[in-house]
Amino acid sequence: MLNKYPLWKYLLILAVLAIGFIYSAPNLYPDDPAIQVSGASTALQINQADLDRVSKALTDAGIGVKSASLGKEGKAGLLRLQDKADQLPAKDVVRKALGDDYVVALNLAPTTPQWLRNLGASPMKLGLDLSGGVHFLLEVDMDKAINARLKVYEGDVKSLLRKERVRYRSLPQQDVAIQLGFTDEAALEKARALVQKSFTDFALTTSERNGLQVLRLEMTPAKLQEIREYSIKQNLTTVRNRVNELGVAEPLVQRQGANRIVVELPGVQDTAEAKRILGKTANLEFRLAADADAGKASTESFEFREPGRRPVPLERGLIITGDQVTDAQASFDENGRPQVNINLDGHGGELMSRATRSNVGRSMAVIFIEQKPLTKYVKQMVDGVEKEVPVQTFKEEKLIISLATIQSPLGSQFRITGLDGKGESSELALLLRAGGLAAPMYFAEERTIGPSLGAENIQLGIEASLWGFLFVSIFILLLYRFFGVLATVALGFNMVVLLALMSMLGATLTLPGIAGIVLTMGMAVDANVLIFSRIREEIANGMSVQRAIHEGFDRALSAIVDGNLTTLLVGGILFAMGTGPIKGFAVTMSLGILTSMFTAVIVTRGMTNLIFGGRDFKKLWI
């Protein structure tokens, strides 16, 4: 019989529409502004007492708190606020109440009902131009980058002199220069000739001080600039890799000026985790334990991360640093304790092999370097009112996480033990895998970003979509009468299925994406126009109503498929070659093509078959 679907097709349409309504529903629930709190280290947990203390501090400051809840295993706490304008003041209050051992970050908390979340339904991710996001301005400490590179050079120079049996005395570094002392002129000249031949990045000068002949190796301006450029580029690459590990959709990571990096994360839910991962220096130093007869000038004492152990003197010279790590994976040793398996690059493997080959039986320490934030509150006049303003500084903390005897020469692969739990081993592996920082970075600025084109323009974008839907519906109703009603209903279903599909795939909606949705409306109706025009032509040619409907849908299908496939191909090219707003447009347009082919053809025909199939109609209002 013409114009009859089998039962399974109707059930398929109902199932798709039901899924569409369920997974698009979370977009009706706006997010709550929130403050998220987590420990600065993975070992530090948040408990209910911390949340109660913070809630009281916010209430005393006149900031309304909707609710406070603990995350899984006490890793984070979330405080929902009444007003988005309270986020920044609330962040300062919470940070002051908890101190520097906690990470306090701005957040948006979903309000999706639990039954929807149990089904895996969540709202669409919105781009910076719609919902805003989090803005970080990271500042690279160039002085520490230069000092770190100077230490490596100092170790190389001293290794060369020891190899050539030139006796020297270590002197403290001064500015950006290495200083070595010699007891006689001959040793000084020999050392100068060796260094001048092997190291071309230093300007060499000599002087006499306290009976010693002093050789001063000062970095050239060209080398200093090279180190600065390398540091900012390496840190930029590392930040991009870390953002990729976080799985953020359409982030912005770019350089600003000589020593700053801008990071913008749209729609990030776990901003505390993002801040902790991005801000962690997580660098390593590998040093040999000092000999018993080593002088204080050539050694440096470090404490262990584990409390209760005595400090250990280590050589000042470095074997390698964390920026020579190419891969790191968390695992467990034979006793079930967490460890990190390390792979080094070629140069790092060579340095490690050289250092351990001649020092079998000695101890080697792995030092974990971290920049600990310290916040002080000073009184300043703000808009004529004296307020306490937070001023953030940083303290470098270097602690030994592993001290082990070198049993045999090491190469490009080895492991780090002595870590505090699985969480820390996973985090350290993630940070090292993303790339070591060439220099520490500080959060110079953090803020939430409002919609880039303003709330008024966002409202206009939504209104444009509604007006587009209205005008398309009026046009199709006037042109095709009752069949226009079917097309309008199918168009509404198309929007529901499109929003559900974007939510399920985690696609990011931007203002250009809204333009893609409006374009989808026109393209969806275009398919119905082809079908209805064909039906009208067949009836005008004297064909029966049932046959005209059947032929109209069947014969228009090839033209609809061809037109949509060519547009889908263009959308794929835009997505592959475009960036930012262009990708947002391409995503919604491409998904809209797929959903419109389903609703404009299958859903519309299903409704038509239910109404007209098997009935004796002599005339159609079309």
Side-chain angles (χ1 to χ4, degrees), residues 110-125:
T111 59
T112 307
Q114 188 61 46
W115 70 272
L116 282 174
R117 278 185 275 177
N118 291 340
L119 295 173
S122 60
M124 281 186 297
K125 295 178 181 178

Side-chain angles (χ1 to χ4, degrees), residues 105-108 125-129 131-138 239-240 242-254 262-279 443 446-449 508:
L106 308 173
N107 205 343
L108 292 173
K125 295 178 181 178
L126 300 181
L128 285 167
D129 51 1
S131 72
V134 179
H135 168 99
F136 296 124
L137 182 62
L138 302 169
V239 169
R240 286 196 177 117
R242 291 183 182 181
V243 168
N244 291 338
E245 292 273 1
L246 291 170
V248 178
E250 296 191 19
L252 172 68
V253 181
Q254 66 183 22
V262 174
V263 180
E264 293 180 352
L265 307 175
V268 171
Q269 290 300 309
D270 196 350
T271 51
E273 174 71 4
K275 184 176 179 182
R276 188 162 58 87
I277 294 296
L278 291 176
F443 284 92
E446 176 196 354
R447 67 173 187 270
T448 52
I449 305 172
T508 301

Side-chain angles (χ1 to χ4, degrees), residues 75 87 110 200 222 259 274 327 339 365 424 440-441 506 578 583 589 600:
K75 290 185 177 179
Q87 272 189 302
T200 59
N259 65 337
D327 189 29
Q339 66 179 24
E424 185 175 67
M441 293 188 302
K583 276 193 173 184
M589 184 186 73

Side-chain angles (χ1 to χ4, degrees), residues 1-5 483 531 534-535 538-539 543-557 605 608-609 612-613 620:
M1 184 182 293
L2 292 176
N3 304 321
K4 280 290 185 180
Y5 267 167
F483 276 82
I531 295 169
R534 189 75 188 191
I535 295 173
E538 299 297 350
I539 289 176
M543 195 174 287
S544 68
V545 169
Q546 294 295 337
R547 174 59 63 180
I549 292 173
H550 178 78
E551 295 296 328
F553 275 97
D554 281 3
R555 294 186 178 183
L557 182 60
R605 187 164 191 176
T608 304
N609 289 350
F612 296 97
L620 280 181

Side-chain angles (χ1 to χ4, degrees), residues 186-245:
L188 171 66
E189 290 301 325
K190 185 176 180 180
R192 179 172 184 170
L194 289 170
V195 171
Q196 202 162 25
K197 180 180 178 181
S198 302
F199 300 91
T200 59
D201 298 322
F202 292 96
L204 305 182
T205 57
T206 59
S207 62
E208 186 175 348
R209 188 186 314 158
N210 299 328
L212 287 176
Q213 302 295 321
V214 178
L215 177 62
R216 177 182 170 89
L217 292 74
E218 185 173 1
M219 283 190 180
T220 62
K223 187 61 180 178
L224 291 174
Q225 183 60 29
E226 179 188 323
I227 294 172
R228 292 188 183 101
E229 283 297 312
Y230 168 79
S231 298
I232 188 71
K233 289 179 180 178
Q234 172 67 18
N235 281 22
L236 187 63
T237 300
T238 299
V239 169
R240 286 196 177 117
N241 291 338
R242 291 183 182 181
V243 168
N244 291 338
E245 292 273 1

Side-chain angles (χ1 to χ4, degrees), residues 38-60:
S38 64
S41 67
T42 54
L44 185 60
Q45 293 187 337
I46 306 295
N47 55 42
Q48 190 60 46
D50 295 325
L51 289 184
D52 293 342
R53 178 156 48 105
V54 169
S55 297
K56 183 178 184 306
L58 290 172
T59 303
D60 293 342

